[in-house]
Amino acid sequence: MSEHYSARVMRLSLLPVAASLLFFSGGLASQQAPIVVGSKNFTESYVLAEIMAQTLEFHGLTVEREFGFAGTLVAFEALRAGEIDLYAEYSGTISQAILQTDSEFDGPALVAALAPLGLEPLEPFGFDNTYAIAIMPALAQTLRLERISDLRAHPTLRLGLSHEFRDRADGWPGLKRAYSLPQESSGLEHGLAYQALLEDEIDVTDAYSTDGDLVRYDLRLLEDNLGYFPTYLALPLARGDLDPRARAALASLAGSIDAAQMRALNAEVVVNGRTFADVAAQFLAGRGLATGTPQPRSRLQERLLANVLVHLKLTSIAVLAATLIGLGLALSVYRSPTVSKAVLYTAGLLQTVPSIALLALLIPIAGVGQVPAIIALFLYSLLPIVRNTITALITIDPLLQRVAVALGLTQAQRLRVVYLPLALPHVLAGIRIAAVVSIGTATLAAFIGAGGLGEPIVTGLALNDTGLILQGAIPAAALAITVELMFEVLERWLVPPHLLTRQAVS
Amino acid sequence: MSEIIELHDIRKRYGETDVLNGLSLSVRADVVTAIVGASGSGKSTLLQIVNGLVRPEQGRVVVFGAPLPERNLVETRRRIGYAVQGTALFPHLSIVRNMSLVAEVVGWDEERIGARALELMTLMDLEPGLGNRYPHELSGGQQQRAGICRAMFLKPEILLLDEPFSGVDTLTKGEIHARLAALLAVEPTTVLLVTHDIGEALTVAADLIIMQGGHVEQRGAVTDVLAAPASGYVRALLGQGHAA
């Protein structure tokens, strides 16, 4: 039995290599340059992305969908890095968040400002999704409120505004000054504001002008008669090297959606629970822009399998790399207590950086997509592996170490035949912890467009769709349990049982 | 006749404490020399100075007729067997692999390893079937005999025994002593046995080195020491006490 012990250890080291090769070769077998359409993780961005994607498909182009980037910064970095070719952005956001200027750009100025970045704003869709002030229709009627300046005459109106709007310079403080509004405001969660309006807790709130919930609650928007709010014209933001055929195809969308229509499309999703793809297909069919038959949605099992494979790819590469480098690191430092402590401290520090923050920090260095996700997972995996290996090596019975030296084994031979096999149960436990934690953490990687089982979770969060969230969460949990069990089998296969029972799982 | 082990004026300190204090001794080849003394008398350190596990601050260590090399002791150590208290068998390896670890490394083939293992196990009265067991599956006495087999596997010229038989009952100890004597009769080896058990020393050894406080109190053939203890300490150790 024990004679095969080291042979098994050798074979073990080949398994993950083979597995990751399989994944890589699978990833390479793609077709010629599909156009990658991205989206941020809120309803309107998804709907516009679907509309663009289906328009491109209608014109015979191959499209890949990379949806659900966590916010402007991530989506924009993905675009710059070439991970995606285009996504829907807003002129105001481009000016403020991306170009970081206070001045508002329109048409030619925006084109000129983005050209040095290798990016190009295409023709706007035709609506302005800016801030808006919303009230219940009955109140509007009673008080004859039509414009924001009408609010001045009613100082007792209760304003409940979202925290962000109250804080932004171009939000409430500026608005109050520009219109000389007498009211004070209170802050609340945006998601609760509509409910508060319905229940007559507040009279006025802020909204986005194309918010689907405006349709759901039949709210009135007050006209920004002083033109205070910056314009947020929605437009396809594309790479300068976008395929001319794609450019031509997207030109057909210019000026095709007004604010009311966008509100209605958003409402189809958030109120009626239809998919982005369906809503987009219906819109395009109505304009004669599509065949009327929506792109057949891939079956649940196929999407599930694809997500699981990406998830496995992310975690297996990260954990494999962390195993190799972690073992090497542990072996090179374990004999110096000072260096060991420094290494463990650093790895521990990395562990305390929240996953989302680490992913965000990696964007300027490694861009978005799978590479930074793998780097982040790798960094998280290092600590358990390095810690367990160092701990196992420094706690080997000193008498056994003395005898190993006295027998006339060289340092390398002692490591190979005595120390590493003795440390193996702890090392395996460290790798197991790293693998299971990585599977959980990898769901967050969808926020930077890495795909995997986090993708349905991110989309589900944007839509508040529990079913979709579970499509990611359940397989992720199942995967974690499966990996846990696989490691148990592996341990039983590799480690003599009497060594396994003594092992303390840290 | 040149001595196989010679120590000259050895001094070793651990922190503030002198463990060995100007110790000199030599050992006759192919006989068992027992080093006896109370705990803390530096016996175990002395053994580790012979195979270079411990380096003295001062003094000369001569092994196999030459000074112990400063570095690269691997070859020298393979000529010196070492067995310790508590057996220190590697828990993840079978009994045979424990014994043959170094033989494997230096390239013995399976057949040669099997033959040598069988030979030693027979001499030490270990059933061949025990070879494939893990150490924890053996009794304490069997483990200690396996520890001797491991130390003797490469037919070393020197065998260092650091209280390897403590912790078993007297009866088992007696059997192991007999087996060791049988093995040494077939394969004469210079043995340095550290023990605090004077009875064991008198049974197994031909020569005695009696240590106290980091120096040699008395050395000589067992019969000579017994006949003429050099001091009260030696007399007390030999159990002759005031009655002698």
Side-chain angles (χ1 to χ4, degrees), chain A residues 23 65-67 297-316 370 377 438-439 442-446 449-460 467-477 479:
Chain A
F23 284 124
R65 291 164 170 79
E66 284 273 2
F67 291 178
R297 292 179 57 209
S298 52
R299 299 215 321 273
L300 177 63
Q301 294 99 309
E302 285 166 11
R303 272 179 294 143
L304 200 65
L305 182 67
N307 285 337
V308 167
L309 285 181
V310 170
H311 210 83
L312 280 175
K313 175 183 167 186
L314 296 176
T315 48
S316 62
Q370 300 190 344
L377 294 176
S438 283
I439 287 169
T443 54
L444 296 173
L453 289 168
E455 205 168 81
I457 296 180
V458 169
T459 315
L468 210 49
I469 294 174
L470 290 178
Q471 274 181 38
I474 291 174
L479 209 57

Side-chain angles (χ1 to χ4, degrees), chain A residues 1-8 397 399-411 413-414 416-422 494-499 502, chain B residues 44 48 51 53 73-75 77-78 80 82 84-94 96-98 101-102 104-105 131-132 134-136 150-151 154 162:
Chain A
M1 224 170 104
S2 65
E3 279 82 353
H4 308 297
Y5 189 23
S6 346
R8 279 192 232 147
D397 183 350
L399 189 60
L400 292 183
Q401 299 187 45
R402 195 211 291 174
V403 169
V405 177
L407 285 176
L409 293 169
T410 64
Q411 169 69 22
Q413 290 161 350
R414 293 198 293 272
R416 186 166 54 81
V417 293
V418 181
Y419 303 161
L420 278 181
L422 282 176
L494 282 173
V495 181
H498 61 282
L499 294 183
R502 281 199 312 211
Chain B
S44 180
Q48 294 178 61
N51 64 4
L53 289 174
L73 281 156
V74 166
E75 289 305 323
R77 284 180 181 143
R78 287 176 187 168
I80 305 176
Y82 187 59
V84 294
Q85 179 175 11
T87 76
L89 293 170
F90 301 119
H92 63 297
L93 297 175
S94 70
V96 165
R97 285 215 61 212
N98 258 287
L101 209 50
V102 185
E104 272 172 42
V105 163
N132 288 324
Y134 285 111
H136 74 285
R150 177 171 68 181
L154 296 180
D162 191 350

Side-chain angles (χ1 to χ4, degrees), chain B residues 12-237:
Chain B
K12 178 68 198 172
R13 316 175 57 98
Y14 287 125
E16 293 294 296
T17 321
D18 275 324
V19 182
L20 297 175
N21 190 2
L23 174 138
S24 297
L25 59 82
S26 60
V27 170
R28 285 196 293 151
D30 296 344
V31 301
V32 177
T33 301
I35 304 174
V36 194
S39 0
S41 60
K43 310 184 300 279
S44 180
T45 302
L46 192 152
L47 276 198
Q48 294 178 61
I49 282 176
V50 174
N51 64 4
L53 289 174
V54 171
R55 293 293 186 168
E57 274 93 45
Q58 178 198 304
R60 232 155 34 90
V61 182
V62 177
V63 178
F64 304 128
L68 196 67
E70 280 297 316
R71 45 212 340 255
N72 226 336
L73 281 156
V74 166
E75 289 305 323
T76 310
R77 284 180 181 143
R78 287 176 187 168
R79 298 168 64 191
I80 305 176
Y82 187 59
V84 294
Q85 179 175 11
T87 76
L89 293 170
F90 301 119
H92 63 297
L93 297 175
S94 70
I95 293 301
V96 165
R97 285 215 61 212
N98 258 287
M99 296 181 195
S100 63
L101 209 50
V102 185
E104 272 172 42
V105 163
V106 300
W108 287 26
D109 61 34
E110 228 172 281
E111 201 181 333
R112 189 174 170 199
I113 286 174
R116 178 60 176 156
L118 187 64
E119 180 180 26
L120 281 170
M121 290 173 76
T122 309
L123 282 167
M124 290 305 288
D125 194 25
L126 284 171
E127 284 169 43
L130 296 177
N132 288 324
R133 303 266 183 90
Y134 285 111
H136 74 285
E137 298 171 305
L138 272 60
S139 73
Q142 287 170 329
Q143 289 184 37
Q144 287 177 328
R145 279 178 277 169
I148 301 291
C149 291
R150 177 171 68 181
M152 288 296 287
F153 206 84
L154 296 180
K155 298 201 177 177
E157 294 135 86
I158 295 174
L159 175 62
L160 305 177
L161 300 176
D162 191 350
E163 309 218 22
F165 312 123
S166 57
V168 288
D169 61 85
T170 320
L171 197 64
T172 311
K173 205 185 240 190
E175 281 170 24
I176 298 176
H177 289 158
R179 285 290 149 189
L180 178 65
L183 172 58
L184 293 175
V186 180
E187 299 179 9
T189 310
T190 305
V191 180
L192 211 46
L193 166 71
V194 158
T195 179
H196 63 266
D197 175 354
I198 187 70
E200 176 169 271
L202 298 179
T203 312
V204 177
D207 288 358
L208 276 183
I209 295 175
I210 292 172
M211 290 185 62
Q212 193 207 359
H215 70 275
V216 174
E217 183 81 7
Q218 186 175 7
R219 48 181 286 214
V222 168
T223 43
D224 297 343
V225 175
L226 277 175
S231 65
Y233 177 76
V234 177
R235 252 198 304 282
L237 201 68

